Amino acid sequence: MAIIPTHRPRRNRKSEVIRNMVQETTLSVHDFIYPVFLIEGQNQQLEIHSMPGIHRFSADRLIDEIGRCVELGIKSFAPFPSINDALKDRLAKESTNPEGLYLKTVADIKRQFPDVVLMTDVAMDPYSSDGHDGIVDADSGEILNDASLEVLGQMALAQARAGADIIGPSDMMDGRVAWIRDVLDQNGFSHVSIMSYTAKYASAFYGPFRDALDSAPKRGDKKTYQMNYANRREALRELALDEQEGADMVMIKPALSYLDVIHEVRNHTNLPVTAYNVSGEYAMVKAAAQQGWLDGEKTMMEVLMSIKRAGADAILTYFAKEAAEVLRRG
């Protein structure tokens, strides 16, 4: 006699209406933070070869792009600058120049779009002649943690003065969240949030981003400050320190190969958890889609849903604009 199943999970999958009714995870345009690339010049829009569909914009064209994104419902942006080599030095002095490319553009965006949220990046590498996130000892090549904090604090303060809503320290120096929080509070910016890059791994998935900004280290690598990708428990130690030091939100970077870390952090904090769906993760999907090996749009949405399902409250993603268009179509 055939055994007839008592429990039939397929009953909850038998129609689209029922599937939608019992769907556990939802994705919204409000979940997205859109990273955008800024370059010198006027009327410039240059596609990044290793990131099909993503461009570097001069400030005037970036303002136009943000306007288009706002019409799609995207209201949060993370601008990253490509700085002329002539302006770089070992102490990243250009990072605090209020008339420099980055800070001037941040201020311009906030003037024209006061309701958008700007998350700015605090790390020395875009401005450093060494290409590292902290100060490099000229003799030993060591990344000097404590000396770097002063630079990072002044960078964060300059960004807050320009109009940043959220400061995003991506440098992975020890103690930088507490240092930046103190600098902001002492200068009247207690309302400015800190989204700490809590677990930023030394990953091979950053390659296209470094192409876009020409910010790769001039010597050595970043393994003495970015995390070993074999470690998960270490992320919880970093989380505990960031909570203690006053972070308002925490981030995992990269996202797709670190869904277990996102989930682990989500289960150990009540702070908002964000994840950075990085350039290499974007490029893989785009490259495979261009070859016809997979459906790019469906894969994109599945990737974003998986990050959300793992526990991310918000996602920094280069797919933001494209995904917003898909969500608008329903």
Side-chain angles (χ1 to χ4, degrees):
M1 182 173 125
I3 298 174
I4 300 176
T6 303
H7 302 285
R8 295 183 181 271
R10 284 184 57 190
R11 283 193 286 258
N12 287 341
R13 307 172 197 148
K14 66 185 177 184
S15 76
E16 184 176 1
V17 172
I18 291 177
R19 290 193 297 272
N20 289 339
M21 181 191 305
V22 300
Q23 182 169 312
E24 299 171 19
T25 307
T26 58
L27 195 63
S28 162
V29 69
H30 303 300
D31 299 329
F32 301 146
I33 302 170
Y34 193 17
V36 291
F37 295 113
L38 176 64
I39 56 172
E40 295 278 4
Q42 290 186 322
N43 198 31
Q44 296 292 308
Q45 180 175 332
L46 308 176
E47 186 170 33
I48 301 164
H49 178 70
S50 55
M51 299 176 69
I54 300 299
H55 298 80
R56 293 178 291 181
F57 295 96
S58 56
D60 54 338
R61 296 294 292 273
L62 182 58
I63 294 287
D64 295 339
E65 176 70 357
I66 287 175
R68 289 188 289 268
C69 291
V70 168
E71 290 177 359
L72 288 169
I74 301 170
K75 298 292 182 68
S76 300
F77 301 88
F80 293 93
S82 178
I83 303 298
N84 190 303
D85 283 347
L87 298 174
K88 297 179 181 180
D89 60 61
R90 63 184 300 270
L91 298 179
K93 294 174 185 173
E94 180 65 13
S95 66
T96 58
N97 176 10
E99 294 303 314
L101 173 68
Y102 191 59
L103 297 179
K104 189 172 185 300
T105 302
V106 167
D108 287 344
I109 293 170
K110 287 300 290 185
R111 269 193 297 272
Q112 297 199 46
F113 299 97
D115 294 331
V116 307
V117 167
L118 290 185
M119 174 187 161
T120 51
D121 180 55
V122 173
M124 290 176 58
D125 56 331
Y127 312 92
S128 167
S129 51
D130 296 303
H132 276 284
D133 294 19
I135 298 173
V136 180
D137 183 273
D139 297 320
S140 67
E142 178 188 356
I143 311 303
L144 303 176
N145 190 97
D146 295 1
S148 300
L149 297 182
E150 178 66 34
V151 176
L152 298 170
Q154 291 307 304
M155 188 185 304
L157 178 58
Q159 292 172 359
R161 285 173 172 156
D165 301 283
I166 302 171
I167 300 296
S170 64
D171 56 285
M172 290 301 287
M173 298 297 117
D174 292 339
R176 88 276 202 207
V177 171
W179 185 283
I180 291 170
R181 183 73 273 161
D182 185 62
V183 168
L184 293 175
D185 290 353
Q186 292 298 320
N187 286 274
F189 292 99
S190 59
H191 61 285
V192 174
S193 307
I194 296 177
M195 181 189 289
S196 174
Y197 286 61
T198 293
K200 182 179 180 180
Y201 287 87
S203 172
F205 285 100
Y206 303 148
F209 179 95
R210 291 173 181 167
D211 290 344
L213 297 186
D214 189 24
S215 61
K218 298 300 184 286
R219 63 168 172 160
D221 54 41
K222 300 190 176 187
K223 292 181 179 179
T224 65
Y225 48 100
Q226 293 180 356
M227 289 173 51
N228 182 344
Y229 61 70
N231 293 357
R232 184 176 63 185
R233 293 192 303 272
E234 187 179 11
L236 299 181
R237 184 183 185 196
E238 292 281 2
L239 169 65
L241 290 169
D242 282 353
E243 288 183 318
Q244 178 184 324
E245 293 179 21
D248 300 286
M249 310 172 213
V250 296
M251 187 201 295
I252 314 303
K253 180 183 181 182
L256 192 55
S257 290
Y258 298 84
L259 299 178
D260 59 325
V261 180
I262 296 170
H263 185 67
E264 193 82 6
V265 169
R266 171 72 286 158
N267 287 340
H268 283 82
T269 187
N270 290 319
L271 293 178
V273 175
T274 63
Y276 200 144
N277 179 209
V278 298
S279 59
E281 297 168 343
Y282 173 90
M284 287 193 307
V285 174
K286 286 295 183 181
Q290 286 182 343
Q291 292 295 322
W293 295 338
L294 48 74
D295 184 312
E297 187 173 287
K298 290 180 179 178
T299 304
M300 167 186 72
M301 299 308 289
E302 186 174 341
V303 164
L304 295 173
M305 188 68 79
S306 74
I307 297 167
K308 190 81 186 294
R309 188 187 65 240
D313 298 292
I315 306 169
L316 284 89
T317 179
Y318 302 98
F319 287 123
K321 187 178 177 184
E322 191 175 350
E325 291 170 343
V326 172
L327 291 170
R328 171 170 280 194
R329 295 200 309 263

